[in-house]
Amino acid sequence: MTKAERIRHLYRNHFPSFSGEACYLLRQRTISPHWTYNVLGTKLQSLYDDSKRTFIFNAPPGYGFSFMVSVAFSAWFFARNPRFRILCLGRSAHWATHHSEEVHRLMSTRRFKQIFPHMHVSLNKSSLQTSIGGSLIFRTVNQPNIHDEIDLIIMETPVDFKHMGRSNKHNDIKQFWDLQVLPSLKCLKKSRIILSTPCLLYTSDAADE
């Protein structure tokens, strides 16, 4: 195995390494070597081996976690599982369009095709499709169309916390958790689920349900 082949093998099988390469391909810069990125990358990769796992994490905006989860991880996971159905949910149609285009741009690069030579996708609005039945769909949280056939669901910053008033922020977050998040988690017990939020969204009691 040549050095180039070893590197491609590393990117195919080690998501933290792939996420750095993906960032360089689209942003022409590398991800900061901070320990938090390695921890998050390792946790995300563990979802590949565990089909009944829910992973919820809180991270501040502006640090590249959105790119790492909704772009790099969704593309990496999809390329390793081209028959899977993956659903990514955000708070706006602009978010869905932007992220689907970024994933398609990443998967269209020469470097990505060298890492995953078998992966061929077509972009239709906010959905990427493979010829063997797989799909990577980006939608808004209020129209998720969740069903049992989804293999991975990513919910990123599902509500706009910036526009919540201080007086009712706690109630708004609790209502969102009770009405949208928990039902989704309960009906997708066979799926891998990621929920990314910019602030603490749940209590230990809610997380245990």
Side-chain angles (χ1 to χ4, degrees), residues 16-186:
S17 298
F18 172 82
S19 64
E21 180 71 1
C23 185
Y24 181 78
L25 289 173
L26 292 187
R27 309 283 175 84
Q28 285 72 55
R29 60 182 176 85
T30 59
I31 293 179
S32 170
H34 197 269
W35 65 268
T36 53
Y37 294 96
N38 290 327
V39 171
L40 177 58
T42 301
K43 289 287 188 181
L44 291 172
Q45 179 160 351
S46 67
L47 290 171
Y48 179 80
D49 302 317
D50 190 347
S51 62
K52 296 182 180 180
R53 182 167 185 180
T54 301
F55 176 43
I56 303 173
F57 74 95
N58 310 111
Y63 284 83
F65 293 110
S66 176
F67 175 86
M68 190 175 187
V69 176
S70 297
V71 177
F73 182 71
S74 63
W76 181 84
F77 193 96
F78 194 31
R80 289 176 61 93
N81 305 274
R83 296 180 183 274
F84 276 24
R85 293 179 174 87
I86 303 172
L87 179 62
C88 297
L89 303 175
R91 68 174 181 268
S92 69
H94 172 75
W95 177 94
T97 301
H98 173 72
H99 281 71
S100 62
E101 290 176 349
E102 277 218 299
V103 171
H104 185 255
R105 192 156 60 93
L106 172 61
M107 300 181 82
S108 299
T109 62
R110 179 185 176 187
R111 183 61 167 160
F112 188 93
K113 292 178 180 179
Q114 290 174 339
I115 299 170
F116 298 101
H118 66 281
M119 192 62 178
H120 303 284
V121 298
S122 59
L123 177 64
N124 181 15
K125 295 184 179 179
S126 295
S127 174
L128 291 90
Q129 309 283 338
T130 67
S131 60
I132 55 177
S135 60
L136 173 55
I137 303 170
F138 290 82
R139 288 184 176 155
T140 57
V141 170
N142 59 349
Q143 294 181 332
N145 191 24
I146 295 175
H147 53 80
D148 290 338
E149 295 181 358
I150 296 295
D151 298 288
L152 170 68
I153 180 170
I154 298 174
M155 300 175 70
E156 184 204 321
T157 317
V159 289
D160 193 349
F161 297 98
K162 293 181 180 178
H163 295 93
M164 289 183 179
R166 289 190 176 184
S167 60
N168 63 350
K169 178 176 290 189
H170 177 77
N171 291 333
D172 288 344
I173 292 175
K174 186 178 185 303
Q175 183 181 36
F176 168 77
W177 177 262
D178 292 339
L179 297 181
Q180 296 194 47
V181 178
L182 282 181
S184 298
L185 301 186
K186 289 177 179 178

